[in-house]
Amino acid sequence: MVWNRFDDSMHFFDICYIAFKENKSDAMTESNSVECVPKSIVRYIKENPHMAVSVALFCGGGLALQRDVTSLAGSLFGAGGALLGAWITELNKRRSEAEEKEKKEAGAVAALAPELQHTIERVQYILDRSTVNFSCESAVESVKNNDQQADFRPYFPTLYPSASQVRDLPDKKVIVLIRYYDSLNEISHCVDDWWEREGQLAVNIFNMLMHAAEKSLRLGLICVREFDLEARFPPPHESYGTLTSRIERSLSHASQARKRHLDRAEALDLRSGKSKEPMPFRKY
């Protein structure tokens, strides 16, 4: 009977060794040096105290068995088996919780991604229209484009932040969403506070809207990567371009328009406040 327990303990050591090799793989990927092994062992013991004590009890039982103290060996093997069962239960619980958490995170990303895509595309449209109006005002061209104040308002999400799926997101994705959606408030405040404000040049107002939209789109690019929007919402056709490429194109156009404005001002030797009287905000 005792020798059967000893054989079982040897089989248990094999199981522990295999489990340890699977769990220490993350630590070994960081460094292939021998110095990494003791650190990974210590970390594994801290994460699995039931297994560590169980191993110690089985080792003690083996030593007691070698010294023919069968009663002590049996007690140690029994205690080790009880802790082994507790460790297996804890390990299974940990794995099931990790799988459930991963499933909830995937569901949350899938639920929040559509409105995120929708708001980013709207900000891109706002930047494009701001760039067009900025260029027209900079060139002092009387071009009527029929843009209204409502055309520069961003779309806001409906699920964020009250939906339960938001709480299932990992911290990194939540922080990304907070920063991006907060930038939408900045755009909305700019439109409300500065639209047709008396005494302000229209070119300056549209330049400010461009800066706010550019900041929002750069934060939106991080969201595109974190929520994998490119794979979830592919372009309808190849010539349309991916969301990232369209955003980068809009950012490039805004930068070029601002550069042409500065070049034009230098060429005409304009100085702020001295070139001419401020023109009123152009109404459509």
Side-chain angles (χ1 to χ4, degrees), residues 117 121 124 128 217 230 233-236 240-251:
Q117 165 91 0
E121 289 181 336
Q124 184 204 352
D128 289 341
L217 282 181
E230 300 286 11
F233 308 101
Y240 191 66
T242 62
L243 179 59
T244 299
S245 65
R246 299 198 303 271
I247 292 175
E248 292 175 347
R249 183 167 59 247
S250 296
L251 292 172

Side-chain angles (χ1 to χ4, degrees), residues 24-38:
K24 76 171 185 174
S25 59
D26 294 338
M28 293 301 295
T29 55
E30 298 175 0
S31 172
N32 293 325
S33 63
V34 180
E35 296 178 355
C36 182
V37 177

Side-chain angles (χ1 to χ4, degrees), residues 55-190:
V55 170
L57 289 173
F58 273 100
C59 290
L63 293 175
L65 189 62
Q66 289 180 352
R67 295 177 180 273
D68 294 328
V69 187
T70 55
S71 59
L72 177 60
S75 298
L76 292 175
F77 282 139
L83 285 176
L84 174 61
W87 171 63
I88 293 176
T89 301
E90 177 68 21
L91 185 63
N92 291 334
K93 179 182 177 182
R94 198 183 306 169
R95 288 178 177 173
S96 62
E97 288 178 350
E99 291 174 356
E100 182 66 19
K101 181 180 179 182
E102 183 178 354
K103 183 179 179 180
K104 287 184 177 180
E105 289 179 358
V109 171
L112 297 173
E115 67 177 12
L116 178 61
Q117 165 91 0
H118 190 51
T119 60
I120 292 176
E121 289 181 336
R122 176 63 176 182
V123 176
Q124 184 204 352
Y125 171 82
I126 292 173
L127 177 59
D128 289 341
R129 297 312 305 165
S130 298
T131 302
V132 170
N133 283 271
F134 172 81
S135 299
C136 292
E137 297 293 343
S138 173
V140 197
E141 297 176 358
S142 56
V143 179
K144 187 176 181 180
N145 47 38
N146 296 322
D147 284 330
Q148 304 294 324
Q149 183 180 17
D151 297 330
F152 297 90
R153 296 188 185 278
Y155 293 155
F156 289 95
T158 56
L159 294 177
Y160 173 89
S162 58
S164 60
Q165 290 88 343
V166 178
R167 294 189 290 272
D168 295 329
L169 290 175
D171 294 341
K172 185 178 180 181
K173 286 183 170 57
V174 172
I175 293 173
V176 167
L177 277 185
I178 291 173
R179 295 181 62 194
Y180 168 68
Y181 284 138
D182 184 64
S183 69
L184 300 185
N185 291 319
E186 181 179 348
I187 296 174
S188 180
H189 293 159
C190 288

Side-chain angles (χ1 to χ4, degrees), residues 206-251:
F206 283 118
N207 186 35
M208 182 175 59
L209 286 175
M210 287 169 61
H211 279 292
E214 286 173 296
K215 174 184 175 181
S216 182
L217 282 181
R218 290 190 176 94
L219 294 172
L221 284 174
I222 302 176
C223 293
V224 171
R225 293 191 296 268
E226 287 295 326
F227 287 81
D228 197 20
L229 297 184
E230 300 286 11
R232 295 178 183 277
F233 308 101
H237 45 80
E238 186 176 355
S239 60
Y240 191 66
T242 62
L243 179 59
T244 299
S245 65
R246 299 198 303 271
I247 292 175
E248 292 175 347
R249 183 167 59 247
S250 296
L251 292 172

Side-chain angles (χ1 to χ4, degrees), residues 9-25:
S9 67
M10 295 299 101
H11 180 62
F12 163 73
F13 293 148
D14 293 337
I15 295 175
C16 293
Y17 176 72
I18 294 173
F20 170 74
K21 287 180 65 179
E22 293 177 351
N23 285 271
K24 76 171 185 174
S25 59

